[in-house]
Each structure stands twice: as C-alpha cells, then as structure tokens.
Amino acid sequence: MANKRIDEPTGTETVGHEWDGIEELDTPMPRWWLWTLYATIVWGVIYVILYPAWPLINKATEGVLGWSSRGELAEEMSVVDQARTTVREELARIPIERLPENSELFGQAVAGGRSAFQVHCSQCHGSGAAGSQTLGYPNLNDDDWLWGGDLKAIEYTLVNGIRAPGVNDTRMSVMPPFEGAFDADQLTAVTNHVLSLSGKAPSTASGAQLYQDNCSVCHGPAGEGNRELGAPRLNDAIWLYGSSPEQLRAQILNPKMGRMPHWSGRLDPVTIKMLSAYVWSLGGGEEFVEVAEDPAVEVDEEP
C-alpha cells in the first residue's frame, strides 16, 4: 500500500507493486459492468428461491414455485397422449375404406403405421418394405397382390394372416407338387410356357397344352392369376421365388408357400388399421371397389 502512487500520464492510481519496472494501474471497473454483476447476483438469489437449485441426498430443493423438469415433461407427455387418444378414437370410428377421404387423419394413420411397421414387420419385409426374393418375403412397394391391394383386403390379411395355424379365416392357398407328374421334356415345355407369359422364353404347343391342363384353372388361361384363390399372376415381371428356369422348375416340382402370422389379438384394431394405411400408401395400393350384391342371385348358406 505504501508503494501506491498516481501515474502521471493517465492520472490513475497504481496497485502498489512493481516488477522489472512495470507497474499495474488500479483502473476502476466500468459502472455498467458492476451493475450487471449485481443484477446477476440478485437474479441468482431469486432463482434459488423459486426453482430447484441445491442438490440434496435424494432430491434437490424444490423451490417455492414447485416446478421441475420431470413435471414439465409429464405435462407435455399428457398433452401428446391426449392428442394421440383423440386420433385413435377417430381412427376406430371411421371405416377403413373411407380413410383416404380424410387427408389429415390418413396422414396420421400412415405415420403411426410406419412406426408399427418398423417394430413388427420390417424383420421380414425389410425396413423399406422391399421384401426378399431369396427368403420369399414379398415386396410391398409394387402393385402385385396375391389377395388384393385395397385397404380392406390388406387389413383382412393382417388380421387373419396367411396360412396362420388355428385361424379359421386365414388366407389359404395350396399349390400341389408336380414331382413325378412330368417327364424331363414336359417339365421343360411347361416351364418355358410359363416364362413365355411374361416374354422371357418361347413357348411350344405341348407346353401350352400342359399349362392349360394343369395350371390354368388357378393361374388363369393367360397367367393373370386369381385373387380369390391366392394364385399369383404369371404374366408380369414380378416373381416371389425367382424367375430363372431352374427356380421355376423347383417351384413347379416342390412349391414353396409362405406364411404370415395373424395380428389379431397381438395388435389392437387401430394399430392394424394404421399398418394397413401405411402398406397401402407405399405405392401399390389399390382403390376400394364395393361390389353390390345382386338380389336376384340366391346364395345357399351352409347350416
């Protein structure tokens, strides 16, 4: 303190110490800086009083306002859950074939279905729903449908599954094995005819006749398929188990028939409806066409 002096060039008092001829000026802090510091101190005291601040053994001080980040999160989640409940209630009420008429609700259904698809369906059909020809999982992005591609048909398939054990209304189709039914030349002829339906090979009269006698009753005379029977279309470029002659011959002799679990009872009806909307929206979905019953046609009902 005894070494303090006034610096002549600046007129400012020094702090009183010197090193190698260098002295430090005791320049006062700017007023605005000091008032900012005082304000932050006051704000800190008020914050400690109002909000959680000091950590304790099992919790923190609660503050007089009773606010907590967990409480705020719970309130936000409650709002989201309420909105989600409202959407699910609307989805439960609307018939699935009418869903595209409400674009906002349909968009919410697709978003929910996309999440459910990643959890329950992507393991087989892939995250992008492209399927796997190697494993026999169908591509859901195209417009080839064994059982129909409108919203009601997709929902029915999800509810009842395909060849699902113990489900009376499951989708069911059976292709008989033709092992031993054809000799080598006949097998080649019918294989080439099937490939000819999509322009992949030339056909012969014998192959066409074998096809008509053994295959057309399910797959159609021109290979157009039959959705009522679950018989695939053969005259396009989409093949579930491969389109090479070797793969086709293997399918004729010992056919592979896939299986999909039923989701009724595993997923609630609204989630199944959202899944149906998502699959339908992937690009291959078809319009629902309601077929009116002909009152003149009598249907014999089983007892």
Side-chain angles (χ1 to χ4, degrees):
M1 297 295 292
N3 295 328
K4 284 188 176 183
R5 67 179 186 82
I6 302 298
D7 180 62
E8 293 182 3
T10 62
T12 304
E13 188 178 32
T14 66
V15 296
H17 57 262
E18 175 266 339
W19 183 81
D20 199 16
I22 301 174
E23 296 179 286
E24 182 180 356
L25 299 179
D26 190 9
T27 303
M29 302 287 276
R31 288 289 181 182
W32 66 266
W33 195 95
L34 286 173
W35 284 114
T36 302
L37 175 62
Y38 299 150
T40 57
I41 294 173
V42 173
W43 167 252
V45 173
I46 295 174
Y47 185 93
V48 167
I49 296 173
L50 297 180
Y51 293 96
W54 297 103
L56 304 175
I57 296 177
N58 297 321
K59 60 178 183 177
T61 54
E62 295 181 356
V64 297
L65 294 181
W67 178 92
S68 70
S69 58
R70 291 185 178 182
E72 184 178 42
L73 175 62
E75 291 179 4
E76 293 176 354
M77 293 299 295
S78 177
V79 172
V80 172
D81 289 341
Q82 182 60 42
R84 186 179 300 163
T85 300
T86 302
V87 170
R88 292 181 67 87
E89 289 174 351
E90 293 180 8
L91 284 171
R93 287 193 298 266
I94 189 171
I96 192 167
E97 64 271 18
R98 302 284 302 277
L99 188 55
E101 298 174 9
N102 187 330
S103 59
E104 181 178 357
L105 187 61
F106 179 76
Q108 292 170 324
V110 170
R114 182 183 296 109
S115 298
F117 185 91
Q118 297 302 322
V119 175
H120 301 288
C121 312
S122 62
Q123 294 86 349
C124 294
H125 294 285
S127 59
S132 171
Q133 189 177 87
T134 304
L135 300 175
Y137 298 132
N139 184 355
L140 304 179
N141 296 288
D142 57 35
D143 56 359
D144 223 32
W145 300 91
L146 282 177
W147 307 97
D150 61 70
L151 281 166
K152 287 195 73 171
I154 295 172
E155 182 185 44
Y156 185 96
T157 301
L158 286 170
V159 169
N160 297 288
I162 299 173
R163 301 180 187 88
V167 181
N168 293 331
D169 295 326
T170 190
R171 302 284 199 189
M172 181 65 72
S173 64
V174 177
M175 176 176 168
F178 285 88
E179 184 76 49
F182 303 131
D183 60 32
D185 292 338
Q186 289 175 324
L187 181 59
T188 298
V190 73
T191 299
N192 287 339
H193 180 76
V194 172
L195 291 172
S196 75
L197 297 175
S198 57
K200 293 183 178 295
S203 180
T204 61
S206 62
Q209 188 60 52
L210 287 168
Y211 176 87
Q212 293 302 322
D213 294 342
N214 297 277
C215 313
S216 62
V217 65
C218 293
H219 294 285
E224 64 273 19
N226 188 330
R227 289 181 174 179
E228 292 184 3
L229 301 176
R233 182 178 176 182
L234 303 177
N235 59 5
D236 59 15
I238 300 174
W239 300 84
L240 183 55
Y241 296 107
S243 59
S244 69
E246 295 76 19
Q247 290 170 321
L248 190 54
R249 280 194 289 268
Q251 185 66 8
I252 293 172
L253 295 177
N254 188 20
K256 300 175 183 177
M257 289 174 284
R259 178 180 295 180
M260 189 185 89
H262 69 97
W263 292 102
S264 177
R266 306 182 185 190
L267 299 177
D268 61 87
V270 171
T271 300
I272 292 176
K273 187 176 289 187
M274 291 191 294
L275 268 172
S276 304
Y278 172 68
V279 172
W280 187 83
S281 73
L282 290 174
E286 301 171 334
E287 295 295 329
F288 173 74
V289 178
E290 187 172 3
V291 179
E293 295 184 0
D294 188 349
V297 177
E298 297 183 358
V299 179
D300 293 332
E301 296 183 356
E302 296 181 2

